[in-house]
Amino acid sequence: LDFKDLGSLIDNNWDVFNKYFPSRDFIIPKIDEMAECRNLIAHNSLVEETERSVIKTYYNVILKQITKGLQG
């Protein structure tokens, strides 16, 4: 599974993932943007503070949603 494929996996199995995320429009763009950051890392490109902030922020937002879904 490639990081970019994660968005497709979630989208194609929305009936499983919908209890964790409020909508496809919430999660898919975040996964796509994090995949772009991941590609910079994979190709030994410079990862600026902006990309690091995106990863940290989206990680925390997604983790919060998953935790909320597990509790609900």
Side-chain angles (χ1 to χ4, degrees):
L1 180 68
D2 200 14
F3 197 93
K4 185 80 172 171
D5 296 329
L6 187 56
S8 296
L9 179 90
I10 291 170
D11 195 32
N12 293 333
N13 296 284
W14 185 244
D15 57 323
V16 174
F17 291 97
N18 67 0
K19 69 179 180 180
Y20 301 105
F21 306 112
S23 70
R24 288 178 169 114
D25 292 334
F26 168 85
I27 189 63
I28 303 301
K30 288 174 179 60
I31 296 289
D32 290 344
E33 196 168 347
M34 288 178 24
E36 291 175 21
C37 295
R38 177 258 173 221
N39 288 342
L40 290 173
I41 295 165
H43 296 282
N44 298 315
S45 295
L46 180 63
V47 179
E48 301 281 344
E49 179 58 34
T50 302
E51 288 87 5
R52 290 192 301 270
S53 291
V54 165
I55 293 169
K56 289 176 192 175
T57 300
Y58 287 172
Y59 168 81
N60 287 320
V61 168
I62 292 168
L63 184 61
K64 182 178 178 180
Q65 281 300 131
I66 291 171
T67 303
K68 192 171 161 183
L70 290 172
Q71 294 171 349

